[in-house]
Amino acid sequence: MAEAQIPMLVEVAYATPVEQKIFKVNLPQGSTVQEAINLSGVLEQFPEIDTDNLALGIFSKACKADTVLRERDRVEIYRPLIADPKAIRKQRAAEGKRMGKGGGEVTEDADEA
Amino acid sequence: MITAITTLTLLALCFGAILGYAAVKFRVEGDPIVARVDALLPQTQCGQCGYPGCRPYAEAICNGEVDINRCPPGGEATIIALADLLGVEPKSLDPEMGEERGPVVAVIDEQTCIGCTLCIQACPVDAILGSAKQMHTVINTECTGCELCVEPCPVDCIAIVAVPCEPQRWRWPLPHLLAEGVV
């Protein structure tokens, strides 16, 4: 059997504070993030998702719509932040609260890990 | 005489071959008792027992390194189930490990989340959806309420809330626990 014929199981996830959904999708090998999203039906169930500016990732690592998926990947569609990180940090500094470990440029650390 | 020896030799060879085949065919991977102990643990992966997760704790129990009363999320029901499986006396929960309580989940305050990913790195069960500079959201059905995400958050935006008992969430209690009058 050719490799492309073995289906690959991936998940597509979208979450709001009220409702979180994980869609299971069977795809042919070599499918992309965009194909998984189209097939999952997440866009129909959550019409508020802005399809032109999708913020995408696989297990919290940002990726592009044409990224090729691997078995058991979880495609994630993100929502933008509400708070401004700089403002929050300033506010906490003004209140004299500690920022906890890694309060600074943690995203770089996350990428290295 | 010769017939007897030949017959017995043939029988021995025959059974030897069967046993040899069975040893290969039905070989047990890993320690099955560890898997059974692990199956009784609540899989919160919270580390309150002092081990990095439920499976390491199950291994430690099976090696006789620790007691069975170190799992607060599992509580008394888990201790009794473990005692039953392992044939030991049930004990009360070790108070050093924390207290038993109902199911809880983490909730992120969206007004404060700065998208730092520290909670995501701490989550042992991938229950937080989010990426760098994107909103982080807890997936309720995945969250085990282990609280490991609370401490790393630099802006204290994660709260632990009790899960209300709703018709959608209610599950049948495990039958073997019912039979023992635990539940």
Side-chain angles (χ1 to χ4, degrees):
Chain A
M1 192 190 275
E3 200 177 281
Q5 284 166 335
I6 306 167
M8 161 174 74
L9 179 72
V10 298
E11 294 177 326
V12 178
Y14 180 73
T16 67
V18 187
E19 191 179 14
Q20 304 93 30
K21 274 268 176 180
I22 297 180
F23 302 84
K24 287 193 166 31
V25 194
N26 272 308
L27 289 167
Q29 300 279 343
S31 299
T32 63
V33 167
Q34 187 66 53
E35 286 165 343
I37 292 171
N38 293 344
L39 211 71
S40 68
V42 64
L43 300 175
E44 288 78 44
Q45 188 150 355
F46 296 96
E48 75 266 27
I49 297 175
D50 179 5
T51 45
D52 297 329
N53 296 306
L54 281 177
L56 300 169
I58 296 170
F59 280 118
S60 306
K61 290 261 185 208
C63 71
K64 298 206 174 80
D66 55 4
T67 306
V68 175
L69 290 165
R70 291 183 301 176
E71 177 80 25
R72 294 190 183 274
D73 272 348
R74 181 169 85 186
V75 174
E76 301 170 334
I77 303 175
Y78 305 124
R79 292 174 299 127
L81 289 174
I82 297 173
D84 173 20
K86 264 189 194 165
I88 295 276
R89 289 203 171 98
K90 259 185 205 154
Q91 188 191 331
R92 286 185 65 88
E95 289 170 9
K97 286 186 189 158
R98 229 167 49 84
M99 280 296 280
K101 63 175 172 185
E105 291 305 313
V106 279
T107 48
E108 268 76 21
D109 295 344
D111 289 341
E112 282 167 23
Chain B
M1 179 67 183
I2 296 288
T3 322
I5 292 174
T6 324
T7 316
L8 285 174
T9 314
L10 276 176
L11 271 175
L13 284 173
C14 189
F15 284 123
I18 292 172
L19 282 173
Y21 175 73
V24 175
K25 174 87 182 167
F26 303 112
R27 187 216 298 273
V28 178
E29 296 286 342
D31 191 352
I33 194 74
V34 172
R36 290 178 67 188
V37 169
D38 191 35
L40 291 177
L41 295 172
Q43 305 305 316
T44 52
Q45 318 299 348
C46 61
Q48 287 183 68
C49 53
Y51 290 85
C54 294
R55 180 131 196 135
Y57 180 44
E59 280 164 9
I61 289 177
C62 294
N63 293 338
E65 292 167 23
V66 283
D67 255 328
I68 57 171
N69 62 345
R70 292 165 68 100
C71 178
E76 204 175 327
T78 298
I79 293 172
I80 293 177
L82 285 173
D84 190 42
L85 174 68
L86 302 170
V88 294
E89 280 297 304
K91 304 177 176 179
S92 58
L93 184 67
D94 191 339
E96 259 183 53
M97 301 301 142
E99 283 174 9
E100 185 179 356
R101 50 159 195 212
V104 291
V105 288
V107 175
I108 292 176
D109 175 10
E110 307 227 318
Q111 303 298 327
T112 321
C113 176
I114 57 172
C116 73
T117 75
L118 287 179
C119 58
I120 295 174
Q121 294 165 48
C123 181
V125 292
D126 285 327
I128 304 176
L129 193 81
S131 183
K133 299 184 187 98
Q134 303 290 340
M135 181 63 75
H136 298 356
T137 316
V138 175
I139 303 169
N140 267 337
T141 48
E142 306 275 302
C143 178
T144 64
C146 70
E147 296 190 19
L148 292 177
C149 54
V150 175
E151 205 256 300
C153 180
V155 290
D156 298 329
C157 75
I158 303 177
I160 298 291
V161 298
V163 181
C165 190
E166 292 163 350
Q168 294 89 347
R169 291 185 166 272
W170 191 81
R171 287 188 190 168
W172 286 97
L174 297 176
H176 68 277
L177 297 178
L178 262 185
E180 288 160 14
V182 177
V183 189

